[in-house]
């Protein structure tokens, strides 16, 4: 597994969250075949009046050429590289030439060339903002490199060149575009999860040492985690997957899956050893008593993940398959590693067994017993009130996602994105495709007027940059025909179209390729490419459904066989997030059902199955309520919390109910005795596990990523709530809905150190050492 783990690769393809058979995805694939990639543009932005001064401009000129010549870069469009159409009267063609053929040698020359560039209205509002002294470089990256390691080098080279420019000119540089955002997010997410994986291991190890006072326990728990992490990476490679935004979270989740097994095994080992002092027998009892329960708890966790494989979203399917297999593998790893290693270790000494008598935990445990036995009605009333408040919060939950959702506000990516939204209205791609209904429809003047009306409307929208389309080329051709005068940058008349027909064929192959980027070979499908701000799902939906779509239907009614389709990476990513949330919610329901069936396999009583689910549903309701009350939106990172928490918290329920079932048989159906004994034996392990998991997840609150923070805090809260529901609500429900014999409470709880023997203890008694003592006259006879 370690060998295969060395071959692991990373991807960050946003579109994997959209099912491949989704109509929007099918259309988008057709769009890319027709017009090419829409998410391959990275932009570099600067803002400073010095940019229009000779010395600084020439350094900017050099930067543009250096980026343009970088391996993997198709083109770099900026002020120093702009081109213009000129009229070739002799050959009746339009000539394409660069405005800046070399570095300007004087400020006067520079001013003249900048004025000429500003007259090319094709670029207006796209590469410069004269009002704010801002300029950008739009860099087209080879589409084949976008989802490979090659993108990392290309983006790195651009950042290095920009850093040198900043060093030379002292002008701040800003970066945006999906290639850049994806690269930075992959790098930062990878770095953070490595950091928190180490930190979580350190924190949980310290807590384990505090409880068990045994370095061996810490070391072998760490060993189980390391082995499982290696298996995780190896499994991803063996299945032919790559690390995605979801599978990248698995190493941290391994701690959650593996540590409870270790805690229950160590605790049972120490309990058994203190009973009879036989190390090998204690190890044997681990496998005998904890083995099956560990198998069932890990299978429950595995089922909770494996149901994700049956969704329609690729990254969820991959996450579910890997997480499910590793959850099952964790059982094998922990059951092989820990008992085997214990065989070679010396028996635990009295100091290492002291954790079984921690006064604080024993007091907590006895307090819980007292609450369960004396104040059940109060427990139910408080629980119902909290649930009612949570339901109010649930109705206030909002579903909002952003392209750079989980990055911190202080992040350079978000700051840079704000720069481009302020000066250029955004950089996220939005595509509008107009089907004119017939071939060569672009040549019909009436259609040109409709397209011009749509372009004018798009320019008027907030958060939408001026669109690029074939109209820019047509209007530019007319401007060139009239000797470059800006006032002629407009839609040609029918007569002018006839005159321009021959001139529209340029002698520049790149210009013809540009034309093919905006109109298909038949002249029927026209592309408007816009850039939008990262305004989130709600505002984006309003922008598209309440603004753009109604206007397009008004201009191009379906009755005329003319249709408009809106697509692009931005819309698909945001739609994919909604798919992600819906599928995770559906999978949670399936997990409830399948785990219920597995509980039925352990506990054949339907009443017990229902009782077992209630304490684990309540924490999920409480956490969802907190999200609504504190305005924490539902998004992929927060939607994951519920399935993870349910799969973990149900483990404590299984351990407690299994012990309850055993004690119920021992006490001949006496429910109250069984409840108290189960709390006494399993309560400490449940508290150990909950504290470790709570702290293990809580450290993620120190992340810079919103998703990681939400995962840490909300999962910790859910597990914290689950600890109390499993220690209080679950026993209370067992007492309420069982018909066991009711006995006097006080003998059970008056002496917290009183030892109640089980059948296992009776086996250890040496009958030959029994003796009968004769009591005094004032004492009763006793053995």
């Amino acid at each position: 597994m370690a060998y295969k783990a060395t071959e692991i690769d990373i991807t960050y393809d946003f579109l994997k969250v959209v099912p491949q058979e989704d109509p929007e995805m099918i259309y988008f694939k057709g769009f890319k075949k027709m017009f090419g990639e829409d998410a391959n543009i990275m932009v570099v932005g600067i803002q400073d009046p010095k940019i229009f001064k000779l010395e600084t401009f020439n350094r900017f000129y050099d930067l543009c050429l250096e980026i343009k010549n970088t391996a993997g870069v198709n083109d770099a469009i900026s002020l120093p590289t702009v081109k213009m159409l000129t009229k070739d009267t002799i050959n009746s063609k339009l000539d394409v030439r660069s405005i800046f053929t070399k570095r300007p040698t004087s400020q006067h020359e520079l001013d003249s060339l900048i004025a000429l560039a500003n007259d090319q209205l094709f670029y207006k509002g796209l590469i410069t903002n004269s009002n704010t002294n801002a300029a950008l470089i739009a860099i087209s990256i080879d589409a084949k490199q976008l989802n490979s390691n090659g993108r990392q080098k290309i983006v790195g080279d651009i950042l290095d060149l920009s850093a040198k420019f900043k060093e030379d000119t002292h002008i701040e540089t800003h970066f945006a575009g999906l290639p850049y955002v994806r690269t930075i997010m992959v790098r930062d997410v990878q770095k953070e999860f490595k950091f928190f994986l180490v930190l979580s291991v350190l924190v949980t190890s310290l807590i384990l040492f505090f409880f068990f006072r045994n370095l061996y326990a810490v070391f072998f728990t760490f060993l189980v985690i390391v082995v499982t992490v290696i298996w995780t990476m190896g499994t991803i490679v063996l299945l032919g997957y790559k690390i995605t935004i979801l599978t990248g979270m698995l190493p941290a989740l391994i701690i959650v899956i593996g540590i409870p097994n270790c805690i229950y095994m160590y605790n049972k080992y120490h309990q058994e050893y203190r009973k009879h002092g036989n190390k090998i027998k204690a190890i044997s009892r681990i496998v005998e008593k904890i083995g099956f329960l560990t198998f069932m708890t890990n299978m429950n966790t595995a089922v909770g993940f494996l149901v994700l494989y049956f969704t329609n979203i690729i990254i969820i399917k991959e996450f579910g398959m890997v997480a499910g297999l590793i959850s099952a593998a964790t059982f094998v790893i922990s059951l092989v590693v820990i008992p085997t290693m214990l065989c070679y270790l010396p028996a635990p000494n009295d100091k290492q067994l002291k954790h079984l008598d921690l006064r604080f935990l024993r007091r907590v445990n006895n307090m819980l017993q007292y609450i369960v036995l004396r104040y059940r009605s109060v427990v139910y009333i408080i629980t119902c009130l909290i649930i009612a408040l949570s339901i109010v919060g649930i109705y206030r939950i909002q579903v909002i996602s952003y392209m750079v959702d989980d990055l911190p506000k202080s992040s350079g990516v978000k700051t840079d994105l704000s720069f481009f939204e302020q000066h250029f209205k955004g950089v996220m791609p939005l595509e509008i495709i107009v089907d004119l209904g017939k071939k060569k429809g672009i040549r019909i003047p009436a259609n040109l007027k409709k397209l011009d009306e749509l372009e004018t409307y798009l320019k008027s929208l907030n958060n939408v940059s001026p669109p690029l389309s074939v109209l820019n080329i047509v209007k530019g051709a007319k401007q060139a025909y009239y000797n470059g005068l800006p006032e002629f940058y407009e839609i040609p008349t029918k007569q002018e179209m006839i005159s321009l027909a021959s001139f529209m064929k340029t002698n520049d192959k790149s210009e013809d390729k540009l034309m093919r980027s905006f109109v298909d070979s038949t002249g029927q499908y026209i592309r408007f490419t816009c850039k939008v701000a990262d305004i989130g799902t709600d505002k984006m939906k309003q922008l598209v459904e309440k603004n753009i779509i109604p206007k397009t239907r008004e201009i191009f009614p379906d009755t005329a066989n003319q249709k408009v389709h809106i697509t692009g990476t931005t819309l698909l990513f945001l739609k994919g997030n909604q798919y992600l949330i819906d599928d995770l919610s559906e999978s949670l329901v399936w997990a409830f059902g399948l785990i219920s069936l597995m509980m039925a396999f352990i506990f054949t009583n339907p009443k017990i199955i229902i009782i077992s689910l209630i304490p684990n549903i309540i924490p999920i309701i409480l956490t969802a309520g907190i999200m609504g009350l504190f305005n924490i939106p539902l998004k992929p990172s927060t939607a994951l919390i519920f399935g993870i928490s349910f799969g973990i918290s149900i483990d404590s329920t299984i351990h407690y109910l299994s012990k309850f079932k055993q004690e119920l048989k021992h006490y001949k159906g006496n429910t109250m005795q069984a409840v108290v004994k189960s709390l006494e034996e399993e309560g400490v392990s449940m508290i150990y596990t909950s504290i470790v998991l709570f702290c293990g997840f809580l450290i993620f609150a120190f992340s810079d990523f919103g998703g990681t923070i939400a995962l840490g805090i909300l999962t910790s809260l859910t597990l914290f709530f689950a600890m109390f529901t499993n220690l209080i609500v679950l026993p209370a429900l067992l007492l309420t809905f069982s018909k066991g014999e009711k006995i006097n409470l006080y003998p059970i709880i008056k002496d917290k150190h009183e030892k109640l023997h089980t059948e296992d203890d009776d086996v250890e008694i040496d009958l030959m050492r029994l003796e009968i003592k004769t009591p005094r006259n004032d004492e009763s006879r006793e053995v």
Side-chain angles (χ1 to χ4, degrees):
M1 284 295 187
Y3 171 74
K4 297 305 293 185
T6 61
E7 302 174 5
I8 201 158
D9 197 7
I10 301 174
T11 186
Y12 204 78
D13 187 356
F14 288 138
L15 298 185
K16 282 190 174 183
V17 298
V18 180
Q20 298 302 300
E21 64 274 12
D22 179 82
E24 296 292 335
M25 174 57 81
I26 294 172
Y27 185 88
F28 182 67
K29 288 180 179 178
F31 160 81
K32 290 204 292 185
K33 287 182 180 179
M34 186 180 298
F35 295 111
E37 181 65 55
D38 76 323
N40 65 330
I41 302 297
M42 174 180 171
V43 289
V44 179
I46 58 176
Q47 180 196 19
D48 197 301
K50 291 189 301 183
I51 195 64
F52 302 111
K53 300 300 179 182
L54 182 64
E55 182 180 356
T56 306
F57 180 86
N58 283 337
R59 184 63 187 88
F60 186 51
Y61 177 92
D62 293 340
L63 174 64
C64 293
L65 293 185
E66 289 167 352
I67 291 176
K68 188 174 183 177
N69 294 327
T70 299
V73 172
N74 295 330
D75 200 2
I77 301 173
S78 186
L79 181 59
T81 63
V82 294
K83 296 180 179 181
M84 63 179 293
L85 293 172
T86 58
K87 183 180 180 181
D88 184 353
T89 307
I90 297 175
N91 297 311
S92 297
K93 288 184 178 181
L94 295 177
D95 188 17
V96 180
R97 70 178 182 86
S98 297
I99 294 177
F100 294 88
T101 57
K102 60 182 180 62
R103 298 172 105 210
T105 56
S106 67
Q107 186 65 44
H108 177 72
E109 181 186 1
L110 174 60
D111 293 340
S112 299
L113 292 173
I114 290 177
L116 182 59
N118 290 335
D119 285 343
Q120 311 310 307
L121 301 184
F122 181 100
Y123 300 100
K124 185 177 181 181
L126 297 175
I127 58 174
T128 61
N129 186 332
S130 56
N131 295 326
T132 61
N133 295 313
L136 63 75
I137 308 172
I139 306 163
S140 174
I141 296 177
D142 185 0
K144 295 180 181 179
Q145 303 289 341
L146 288 178
N147 292 309
S148 70
N149 290 332
R151 183 188 62 206
Q152 306 274 353
K153 185 179 185 309
I154 295 170
V155 173
D157 290 342
I158 294 171
L159 294 178
D160 291 340
L161 291 171
S162 301
K164 186 66 169 61
F165 170 82
K166 178 182 176 181
E167 181 182 341
D168 294 341
T169 62
H170 304 289
I171 296 176
E172 192 70 34
T173 52
H174 304 271
F175 308 94
L178 290 182
Y180 171 72
V181 171
R182 292 176 180 180
T183 301
I184 296 302
M185 288 188 71
V186 167
R187 183 196 68 188
D188 290 351
V189 168
Q190 185 181 14
K191 180 176 67 176
E192 275 228 340
F193 270 101
K194 285 181 180 178
F195 169 73
F196 280 113
L197 181 61
V198 173
L199 186 59
S200 60
V201 168
L202 178 62
V203 170
T204 51
S205 297
L206 288 174
I207 297 173
L208 284 172
F209 179 75
F210 174 77
F211 284 144
F212 293 107
R213 305 301 173 103
N214 188 341
L215 287 176
Y216 291 122
V218 176
F219 174 76
F220 292 122
T221 301
F222 175 75
L223 182 63
V224 169
I225 293 171
V226 170
V227 172
T228 314
V229 169
I230 292 173
W231 278 41
T232 303
M233 300 296 103
T235 302
I236 292 174
V237 176
L238 289 172
L239 293 175
Y241 300 157
K242 295 181 179 181
I243 290 183
T244 66
I245 190 172
L246 290 183
T247 52
M249 299 173 66
L250 282 175
L253 295 179
I254 295 308
I255 299 172
V256 173
I257 298 169
I259 282 184
N261 293 351
C262 302
I263 290 177
Y264 280 108
M265 285 185 180
Y266 284 124
N267 222 38
K268 189 63 180 176
Y269 172 64
H270 287 169
Q271 287 176 354
E272 289 291 333
Y273 181 79
R274 190 162 76 167
K275 287 180 182 179
H276 45 69
N278 188 324
K279 184 184 79 170
I280 299 301
K281 186 171 185 178
I283 296 172
S284 176
R285 289 287 174 86
I286 294 176
V287 180
E288 177 188 342
K289 294 188 175 182
I290 301 295
F292 177 72
L293 294 182
T294 304
F295 172 77
M296 292 307 299
T297 55
N298 286 168
M299 289 306 104
N300 277 329
T301 306
V303 166
F305 285 122
L306 285 173
V307 293
L308 300 176
Y309 182 76
F310 300 98
T311 64
N312 295 318
I313 301 175
I314 294 176
I315 64 170
I316 293 186
K317 291 169 73 75
E318 294 177 358
F319 175 78
M321 174 58 74
V322 176
L325 292 176
I326 294 303
S327 297
T330 303
F331 162 74
V332 178
I333 294 170
S334 56
L335 201 64
V336 168
V337 171
I338 293 177
T340 302
M341 293 299 102
L342 289 176
C343 289
Y344 291 96
L345 293 177
N349 54 41
D350 293 339
K351 181 179 178 181
Q352 294 167 354
L353 296 177
K354 278 186 178 180
H355 71 93
L356 296 174
D357 295 318
L358 281 179
R359 292 185 178 182
F360 173 73
L361 290 181
R362 289 298 174 187
R363 286 174 182 173
V364 170
N365 208 6
N366 279 276
M367 181 182 69
L368 295 175
Q369 293 178 27
Y370 190 76
I371 292 172
V372 168
L373 298 175
R374 280 295 191 185
Y375 297 104
R376 268 179 289 156
S377 21
V378 176
V379 168
Y380 296 147
I381 292 172
I382 293 175
T383 302
C384 290
L385 289 175
I386 295 175
I387 290 175
L389 180 62
S390 299
I391 291 173
V392 173
I394 290 173
Y395 279 101
R396 297 180 57 184
I397 290 180
Q398 296 179 326
V399 181
I400 302 176
S401 298
Y402 294 84
M403 289 289 284
V404 290
D405 210 359
D406 292 332
L407 291 175
K409 293 181 180 180
S410 59
S411 167
V413 173
K414 281 197 170 182
T415 304
D416 287 351
L417 194 59
S418 298
F419 171 86
F420 290 102
E421 290 174 355
Q422 177 184 352
H423 298 287
F424 300 98
K425 293 189 174 182
V427 292
M428 299 300 180
L430 178 69
E431 304 290 344
I432 301 172
I433 310 302
V434 179
D435 179 1
L436 295 175
K438 60 170 61 177
K439 294 181 179 181
K440 299 182 180 179
I442 187 62
R443 298 185 179 181
I444 301 173
N447 287 340
L448 287 175
K449 289 183 179 179
K450 289 182 177 180
L451 293 171
D452 189 40
E453 184 181 353
L454 176 59
E455 182 188 70
T456 302
Y457 176 74
L458 292 173
K459 287 181 178 179
S460 69
L461 293 173
N462 294 325
N463 301 314
V464 180
S465 70
L468 272 175
S469 71
V470 69
L471 294 183
N472 298 73
I473 300 173
V474 172
K475 292 178 180 180
K478 180 178 177 178
Q479 180 183 357
Y481 184 79
Y482 286 102
N483 301 316
L485 295 174
E487 56 265 29
F488 289 99
Y489 184 80
E490 60 185 8
I491 294 295
T493 64
K494 185 175 182 180
Q495 190 64 36
E496 289 170 332
M497 284 292 292
I498 296 173
S499 302
L500 284 171
S502 61
F503 283 88
M504 289 296 290
K505 296 180 180 179
T506 72
N507 58 1
D508 191 299
K509 292 183 179 180
S510 64
E511 197 69 20
D512 292 337
K513 185 178 180 181
L514 179 63
M515 178 75 80
R516 293 282 77 84
S517 297
F518 297 114
V519 58
D520 77 316
S521 58
T522 67
Q524 178 176 340
Y525 296 95
I526 311 301
R527 172 192 184 187
F528 285 85
T529 181
C530 306
K531 303 298 180 183
V532 296
D534 188 15
I535 55 179
T537 47
D538 281 357
K539 291 184 178 180
M540 182 63 72
K541 184 177 181 181
Q542 183 177 357
L543 174 66
V544 172
E545 295 183 358
K546 295 187 179 180
N547 296 100
I548 298 178
I549 290 179
K551 188 64 178 180
T552 57
R553 287 177 179 171
E554 176 187 328
I555 300 172
F556 300 97
D558 288 343
T559 54
N561 295 322
Q562 295 178 337
K563 298 181 180 180
V564 178
H565 202 103
I566 302 174
T567 186
T569 303
T570 303
L571 286 183
L572 284 176
F573 171 71
L574 297 176
K575 183 177 183 179
N577 272 357
Q578 187 59 53
Y579 263 113
L580 198 57
I581 292 169
D582 292 343
D583 274 35
L584 287 173
S585 302
E586 182 180 341
S587 299
L588 182 60
V589 174
W590 278 102
F592 276 137
L594 291 175
I595 289 176
S596 298
L597 291 177
M598 295 187 70
M599 296 293 284
F601 179 74
I602 306 174
F603 312 106
T604 55
N605 190 333
K607 186 190 299 183
I608 295 294
I609 297 170
I610 296 172
I611 289 174
S612 68
L613 293 177
I614 292 174
N616 297 288
I617 294 174
I618 293 174
I620 292 176
I621 295 174
L622 299 185
T623 302
I626 288 174
M627 289 175 60
L629 293 173
F630 289 89
N631 297 318
I632 302 173
L634 184 65
K635 52 188 177 181
S637 54
T638 53
L640 274 173
I641 292 164
F642 303 110
I644 293 172
S645 302
F646 180 74
I648 298 170
S649 61
I650 198 73
D651 294 352
S652 295
T653 306
I654 292 175
H655 279 281
Y656 182 84
L657 287 177
S658 297
K659 184 63 178 176
F660 172 77
K661 184 179 178 181
Q662 175 189 343
E663 297 299 334
L664 193 65
K665 181 179 180 181
H666 173 72
Y667 288 112
K668 298 180 173 49
N670 192 309
T671 304
M672 192 165 293
Q673 282 276 24
V675 164
V676 172
K677 184 62 177 178
S678 300
L679 273 176
E680 184 178 298
E681 293 262 342
E682 294 296 328
V684 173
S685 294
M686 292 165 68
I687 294 173
Y688 281 179
T689 303
S690 298
I691 291 175
V692 170
L693 294 177
F694 177 83
C695 296
F697 272 106
L698 192 60
I699 63 172
F700 291 108
F702 298 97
S703 169
D704 285 331
F705 287 85
T708 310
I709 294 171
L711 177 69
I713 294 178
L714 294 178
T715 305
S716 294
L717 284 175
T718 308
L719 295 176
F720 181 76
F721 297 146
M723 177 180 70
F724 285 101
T725 54
N726 277 307
L727 288 171
I728 297 177
V729 177
L730 177 60
L733 290 171
L734 290 173
L735 289 173
T736 300
F737 293 100
S738 297
K739 298 180 179 179
E741 178 187 355
K742 305 296 186 294
I743 62 173
N744 189 353
L745 308 183
Y746 295 102
I748 301 174
I749 62 176
K750 70 177 181 178
D751 186 357
K752 60 189 175 187
H753 297 296
E754 181 181 355
K755 187 171 180 64
L756 298 176
H757 293 279
T758 64
E759 292 177 355
D760 295 329
D761 299 317
D762 294 338
V763 174
E764 306 303 326
I765 296 175
D766 188 346
L767 298 178
M768 298 301 296
R769 297 181 61 187
L770 287 179
E771 60 177 306
I772 299 177
K773 293 181 179 180
T774 305
R776 298 175 183 175
N777 295 332
D778 57 341
E779 295 178 348
S780 59
R781 285 185 63 85
E782 63 179 9
V783 177

